[in-house]
Amino acid sequence: MGLVREAERGAGCWERAAGEGAAVRGDSAWARLKRDRLALAGLVMLSIVVAVAVLAPYLAPNDPVKVDLQHRLAPPSAQYPLGTDHLGRCILSRLIYGARVSLGTAALALTAVLLLGLPLGILAGYCGGWVDNLIMRLVDILLAFPGLVLALVIAGTLGPGLLNVMLALALVWWVGYARVIRGMVLAVKEKEFVLAARACGTSRWGIIIRHILPNVLSPVIVLATLDMGKLILAISGLSFLGLGAQPPTPEWGAMLNDGRPYLQVAPQLTLYPGLCIMTVVLAFNLLGDGLRDALDPRLTTRL
Amino acid sequence: MKLLEVKGLVKHYVRKRGLARRETIRAVDGVSFSLAPGETLGLVGESGCGKSTLGRLILRLEEPTAGEVIFEGVNIATCGEKELRERRRHLQIVFQDAYSSLNPRRTVGASVEEPLANFGVPRSERREQVRELLQLVGLNPEEAAKYPHELSGGQRQRVNLARALALQPKLIVCDEPVSSLDVSIRAQILKLFRELKERFRLSYLFISHDLAAVSCLADRVAVMYLGKIMEILPAEALSQARHPYTRALWRSVLPPDPRNRATLEPAVKGEPPDPANPPSGCRFHPRCPQAQELCRWEEPVLREIKGGHLVACHMVV
Amino acid sequence: MATPVLRVKNLSTYFHTSQGVVRAVEQVSFSLAPGKTLCLVGESGCGKSVTALSLLRLVEPPGKIVSGEVWLNGRDLLKLASSELRRVRGKEVALVFQDSLTSLNPVLTVGLQLAETVVAHEGLPWKEARRRAAELLYRLGLPEPERLMRSYPFQLSGGMRQRVSLAMALLLRPRVLVADEPTTALDVTVQAQILAELKRLQRELGMALLLITHDLGVVAAMADEVAVMYAGSIVECGPVTEVFERPAHPYTRALLRSVPRPGEELVPIEGQPPSLLGLPDDRCPFLPRCPEAREECRKRRPELLKVAPGQLVACHYPYMARDEG
């Protein structure tokens, strides 16, 4: 409806005084994030994990795939700080290299998700009409299946392997993004600044790139951060089921799976990768929550 | 020569009610008027009367259901995309909400620069033009580097005006541009509108619910009620309006004069009805103090009663 | 003048924020006689709404009432225990806000909400409570109160909702009604109706009204007394005819001139209201916008002093009657 809100929103009292009349400089998202201790902890944890993944060849004491049948299921020692697994491979080294695989796969899958979800969501929201209908019905169909089961079916059909798992996850995961982004685009599209841009001759692409994208991006960043944790879990889960990383590739979920038969005799085989997964997922969640608070535009003008 | 001519403009929205029920909202229901170069037409009415929709239809920010909008000889309502873009150079809009009219993630300078870039002004000249535009609306050119949330409400509305002026328009549709501003700031912006109008011989379609503000700026005033124009009259004749609705609006304006308290006696009762089911006959008849039997079943047409004064009322002879 | 029913003395409310102290209300004093109307007028951010909330101790953190007295019926509300204060709210002082949609519960019928107030405060039987509510709605110009009481807030128009809010506030026949921009969101024709009804009921109930508004037209129509606020303080107060016809403070004078009047030249006030954050208190807050500013204004913040019977002004160089000639 084109009804105007004639209401002079007068009673906003001091908030307006501080936010508008006085034009207080709203501090940056980074400054706000820095004040959030939990988010900062998440960021520090993730930085460490990423550094470990990048520097894996320098940090790992052993070759992660080297089999040493002499020392199967060995307890911690100078040579194997966390002991060895059922094939005598260094657990610590496998965990360190596993960070590469687990994080890398999740990041790649997320990139694919964004590459699908962002443009389709924006297209559906901005164009409306049949384009919107087509995309959203596809989304509805995909959402009618339980996501992970569908990914399982796709990955199963494509055959085991990390690449296929990534593809399978991206194919089910993008729908959530498309839906959320479409909703945000619909809201931004009605804002007066988009109308003003149309009125002053900005092209469709100009409006999408310059006006809509920057205004939907920060919630997407939050969502993506929170989803990194979920993706790591999903990849680990699929690997645990034997669909993802294939032996001897070190991957946390696959390591969990490998350790399962020895749960009674050597719990460290499942404990350590489990802890790694938990830590990273927790870190992403903490950072995601912090980012949500820091990037929330409603907080920008509040004192 | 007319700058803008609106003929029989109609905009209907379909509103879903529940699962199967649909109802048509007649936001704008057959509006015609024209505007000469340099002239300002005030468009007045209560909330929900369709005045904002009308403003947006003129720029074709919304697609009209029927009717013509002829601007500089071209029918905006049906012309092609390319022609529309070209016409909008001379046809701009300023909205009520100065804050949401500016992209919060771009600097003020970038917002003012946007129309210049769209119409191929070379990058080297744009910077200087943005500075000039900001100065023109009474802002310090240094403000160009700021973000909208760093400005006050009045400053933001000045930025919006600078952007609208960038392409040297002939007509600016002003949709409640001062309604959300404070009294002292409102006067500043109204004065700025008037100065710019005189300086560039601009035309405004000045949409407002505030009859006093409109009467300060407009040459003529059109009064809208439930999607229809009830009366068009010269601004100086507002105190001698003929339509009962215009008279009611005029009497509802509270002057800042404590000795004049008789005005508090309400001029009409009730509130505007739902635009989905407008009353039969004259749309104002359920609230009209002068309504007769005729008003219930026959809709009055807008007719000229003397030079430049049009009224849609059976009771005016 | 009769004994005031409400007397506010040196009320100050500050907001402690991460960026410093916002002095939203600074040393505000006024009194209100029974049956009379005082309008607090000012632009957004001048502290008029926070003043209203402070009276009933409804300021939310980070806001805090730092000093002052609010005397109602021989009791200082700022010193009252919360349980006693709750009884005072609604019963002796009632509040009406601008936004009637958020002040009514969306999932309960109007009648239930109205009756509940009476039942809770006065212990009347439900039937009796509903009857009283219906009667009040009828007196507020709502023709079919019984049908209205069966509807939910969202089914009502803005004007009807605001009347219901008003009824809610008046049900317990408070001695003082505090109304914060009660008609700002409404159309002018509806505003005129509601103001007229409010005035009529005020007369019938003998109730004092503290009306907060930015609209000088509303002030002129409703007020007996007016207090003009700027940057958290009262800069001028007195009988409305005196203040409007012989404004002594440059701000009041400029504000009155910046109201658009048909056929008259607009004289805006240059500049904009100052930030309340870190406002210096060693000078006049209106100084940067004042056409009359002199040396003294830079040195000392003016106090509210009497310039005419009942008229107080916080200005070192007020306009006096003799200046007019």
Side-chain angles (χ1 to χ4, degrees), chain B residues 46-47 152 182-184 187-188 190-191 194 212 215-216 250 252 254-259 261 268-271 287, chain C residues 43-44 157 159-160 187 189-191 193 199 214 217 220 223 244-245 258 260 262 265-266 268-272 289:
Chain B
E46 292 175 283
S47 53
S152 69
D182 266 316
V183 189
S184 72
Q188 290 175 10
L190 275 177
K191 201 173 169 200
R194 192 152 64 191
S215 66
C216 282
W250 183 250
S252 303
L254 302 172
D257 175 8
R259 291 206 193 267
R261 291 212 175 171
V268 281
K269 292 220 182 306
E271 292 177 63
R287 297 176 74 195
Chain C
E43 299 179 86
S44 53
S157 68
M160 287 214 272
D187 280 316
T189 56
V190 183
Q191 165 171 289
Q193 297 166 37
K199 200 154 192 179
H214 70 281
F244 273 45
E245 282 167 16
S258 62
E265 193 56 33
L266 268 176
I269 314 177
E270 295 307 323
Q272 60 195 44
R289 305 174 79 185

Side-chain angles (χ1 to χ4, degrees), chain A residues 159-184:
Chain A
L162 271 175
L163 191 69
N164 289 342
V165 162
M166 284 191 282
L167 259 175
L169 283 174
L171 283 176
V172 276
W173 218 280
W174 68 271
V175 291
Y177 281 76
R179 187 170 244 203
V180 170
I181 290 163
R182 171 181 174 268
M184 292 190 294

